[in-house]
Amino acid sequence: MKNYTITVNGNVYEVCVEEGAGAPAASASAAAPKAAPKSAPKAAAPAGAQGAVKVSAPMPGKILKVVASAGAAVKKGDVLVVLEAMKMENDIVAPQDGTVVSINVAVGQSVEPGEVLATM
C-alpha cells in the first residue's frame, strides 16, 4: 500500500493505493480535501483552541443535511454536513478530533468553495 498527496485545483487530497493482482485499486482516505496550502494555519492551531479549526466547502453546492451540532464531540472523519454537488452527495468530515463550536450553514443553503461550514 502506498500513500500519495495529490493537489487538484488547489485542494490537497491524501490518497492510499493498494497494489494487488490486476489493476491497482485506489481509494481516497477522506471524502473532503485536506487543508489547501493557503489554509496551512488551520493545521498549526493549538490543540485546545476553541474555534481555531475551520471546515470549509471544497466545492460549490447545496447543504442537504446537517449531521453534527454545536457542542458535539467528534472524531477525525466523522460527518459534519452533507453537501450536494453535481447531483452527488459529499460527506464533509471533521479534519481532527475535537468539539464542534459552531455550524455556520442550514439545510437548503447554497455554498461556494472556501465558505466556512463549521468551526471546531
Side-chain angles (χ1 to χ4, degrees):
M1 188 176 319
K2 294 184 179 181
N3 292 321
Y4 297 95
T5 301
I6 299 172
T7 304
V8 178
N9 293 332
N11 293 321
V12 180
Y13 298 88
E14 290 292 325
V15 179
C16 179
V17 179
E18 290 184 20
E19 294 183 42
S27 65
S29 64
K34 287 183 66 179
K38 61 185 174 187
S39 301
K42 172 165 61 171
Q50 291 277 325
V53 177
K54 295 182 182 351
V55 181
S56 302
M59 63 194 82
K62 180 178 165 184
I63 302 300
L64 283 183
K65 183 196 268 186
V66 176
V67 178
S69 59
V74 294
K75 296 204 178 287
K76 180 178 181 178
D78 285 354
V79 178
L80 301 175
V81 298
V82 179
L83 174 68
E84 178 189 36
M86 297 173 27
K87 297 186 181 181
M88 293 185 67
E89 293 183 14
N90 300 280
D91 292 339
I92 307 302
V93 299
Q96 66 185 39
D97 294 354
T99 302
V100 177
V101 174
S102 67
I103 298 291
N104 303 334
V105 292
V107 174
Q109 179 178 343
S110 293
V111 296
E112 294 298 321
E115 188 170 334
V116 177
L117 306 177
T119 56
M120 295 180 57

